[in-house]
Every structure is written in structure tokens, then in C-alpha cells.
Amino acid sequence: MEALVEPTLKEAYEAVRRALEHGHFCILIADCEVRYWGRASSRLGRGQRAIMLKQDGSVLVHRPQGYEPVNWQPPGSRLSAELKENKLTVRAVRLRPWEELVVEVYEVYLLAHCRLRDEARFEMYGSESDVRNLLAENPWLIEKGLRCVEVERRVEGGSIDILFIDEDDRLVVVEVKRGTAGAEAVLQLKRYVEKLRRELGREVRGILVAEDLARGVRGLLVREGLEFRRINLKRLFEIARRQGSSLTRWLT
């Protein structure tokens, strides 16, 4: 473990370089600005933030408020640091698809790094099936006017989470994902929609329901003619509590 309070930029650079060389978890509380290039681009002006460099190559930049990072890079990114022009620059590059996150640090208030060990098994109460069943019972949480036709309808290669009929008498395939849905969930939904269209010879919509979407997935949904609805877990918890659903297990 190495911890520095109000180090100079040179001291901070040397500490970050040591952390990266040894594959350590490193956290900086610093005045910085952030730039991102990739499938989109963004710039975050100067401010005081927490920067986390994780052992798997992921990077998180947190503002003083909120639980989600304002910028991030996924595991497997290549991390590097340089000291130039009175700035400590931390760079995270992902090769496929290419993305680059650059954090320019002007002042460091606190820096610490060490090798962390965490081999505990993560156990989550509740499951996608709990969310699926609650949405089947309360389709208005997805869209007004939906009527549930079937839960876990078997099709070739898998099963549709929920099959609805909308107000215009169109079939609606709903795929439910806990957490952040990626491109694989979109392609899975696309396959189910196409199979049902061929099987029944009628119009079928597809809706992906999840807490969030991975970067770039919204564009894929649009290109495939599919839709997205965000799950509000707090709202689900409240409904589950009122209805005595198994989702109340999440709250214990």
C-alpha cells in the first residue's frame, strides 16, 4: 500500500506508474478534466473528482454526487500515464471497438494504490424471472394497453420472456434483462421477433426491457427496428412490496 496526501504532480505520476506496473488498484482524488473519443465523443470540464484505475484495466471517473460514473472505460483497456506540460495525463485505450478515455490531472489531493484481493462469491436476491413475472402481471409498467398472452413462450432456439398484444392488436415480444443490456440481448430479441413473424405471418414488435443499455446498443436497437424500456427498480420494489411479490426478497 502506498498513500500520498497532496503530492506534487511528479510524485503522483511516479506513484501511478508504479501502480500500473504492478497491476494495482489505484484511486486519485484530483482536479481534472476528461475527454472521450470512440463511438461518440465527449468533454468534461475541470472539476474535483474521484478517479479509479482498476486491476482489470477498467477506469471510472466519479463526480461528488451520484452513484454512477460520469466517464468510464471497460475491463481490458490499456492504461498509461505521462507527465507533460504541468499535467498528469492518464490514458485508457480499448482496441476493439476503438475507444480512448483521457483524464488530464492538474492537482492531486489524495492518491493511494495497492493490490486488492476479492474472491468472495456474489449472491443476488431476486432474478430476471422475478422481474419478468412482475412485468407480466403489470404490463402498464412497460406500455399502456398491453395484454399478456403468454410467459416463457417456447420458440426454436429459446423462449420468449413475455408475449403481449398491444392496443393495435399487434404481438409484442418482450425480452427482460437485469442490469445493463448489451448487443447480445438485442440480437436475441431480434431472433425471437423474426421467428414469430415467420411462424404466425403477422406484425410483431420487439421491446427490450432493462435497467440500462451498454454503450452503442441504442443505435443497434434503432437499426433493427426494436424498442427499449428502462426498468425503474425503485418503482418495482414499491409495487412488489404492495403486492407481496417475491421481489420483496431483494430488500432484505
Side-chain angles (χ1 to χ4, degrees):
M1 163 73 77
E2 180 180 18
L4 303 174
V5 178
E6 296 185 347
T8 65
L9 284 181
K10 183 178 180 181
E11 291 170 335
Y13 162 70
E14 292 172 348
V16 171
R17 184 172 53 80
R18 287 192 293 272
L20 297 181
E21 286 178 355
H22 292 91
H24 283 185
F25 176 93
C26 181
I27 184 167
L28 300 89
I29 308 299
D31 177 19
C32 66
E33 66 180 309
V34 187
R35 291 182 173 84
Y36 166 80
W37 299 271
R39 297 183 183 179
S41 62
S42 66
R43 178 184 179 277
L44 177 65
R46 286 183 65 168
Q48 296 176 338
R49 305 178 181 104
I51 307 157
M52 285 185 280
L53 314 178
K54 294 196 173 184
Q55 293 165 191
D56 60 359
S58 55
V59 179
L60 301 175
V61 180
H62 281 274
R63 304 184 97 161
Q65 298 85 25
Y67 67 92
E68 292 185 344
V70 64
N71 285 99
W72 60 277
Q73 279 285 77
S77 299
R78 297 183 178 182
L79 308 185
S80 62
E82 66 176 344
L83 184 63
K84 190 176 181 180
E85 298 176 354
N86 295 320
K87 289 186 294 187
L88 165 59
T89 300
V90 178
R91 192 179 309 272
V93 177
R94 183 188 186 193
L95 298 180
R96 295 184 181 179
W98 181 83
E99 297 176 291
E100 183 176 7
L101 182 73
V102 174
V103 183
E104 295 182 326
V105 176
Y106 297 92
E107 185 175 2
V108 179
Y109 310 111
L110 176 66
L111 186 154
H113 68 90
C114 64
R115 184 74 181 177
L116 297 181
R117 294 185 61 188
D118 184 354
E119 300 173 357
R121 180 179 176 182
F122 177 68
E123 297 182 1
M124 180 180 292
Y125 295 96
S127 65
E128 286 181 1
S129 63
D130 291 318
V131 180
R132 178 201 65 203
N133 293 338
L134 185 58
L135 292 174
E137 296 166 4
N138 300 271
W140 55 272
L141 290 168
I142 302 172
E143 182 179 296
K144 180 182 177 182
L146 289 181
R147 291 170 288 146
C148 183
V149 174
E150 192 173 350
V151 177
E152 283 198 298
R153 179 189 174 101
R154 297 295 301 176
V155 294
E156 182 184 350
S159 62
I160 294 169
D161 283 338
I162 319 173
L163 185 62
F164 293 102
I165 292 180
D166 68 13
E167 290 182 319
D168 297 320
D169 204 34
R170 294 173 296 183
L171 287 173
V172 182
V173 173
V174 170
E175 180 69 21
V176 179
K177 296 295 181 187
R178 283 217 58 189
T180 300
E184 185 175 324
V186 178
L187 299 178
Q188 182 180 19
L189 176 60
K190 177 188 176 183
R191 288 194 299 270
Y192 292 159
V193 168
E194 290 177 345
K195 289 180 186 297
L196 213 55
R197 284 172 180 164
R198 290 195 300 267
E199 178 184 332
L200 302 178
R202 59 183 292 184
E203 184 178 359
V204 181
R205 295 167 57 200
I207 300 178
L208 177 60
V209 177
E211 296 174 60
D212 202 358
L213 292 176
R215 189 178 291 166
V217 170
R218 188 175 296 276
L220 178 59
L221 279 166
V222 172
R223 289 193 297 274
E224 298 296 344
L226 303 172
E227 304 168 47
F228 172 65
R229 301 289 186 276
R230 190 183 303 276
I231 292 177
N232 185 322
L233 285 182
K234 182 178 180 182
R235 195 177 187 190
L236 284 177
F237 293 160
E238 292 170 351
I239 292 168
R241 187 182 291 111
R242 291 198 301 268
Q243 296 181 350
S245 165
S246 61
L247 271 173
T248 54
R249 292 185 286 125
W250 290 9
L251 305 177
T252 61

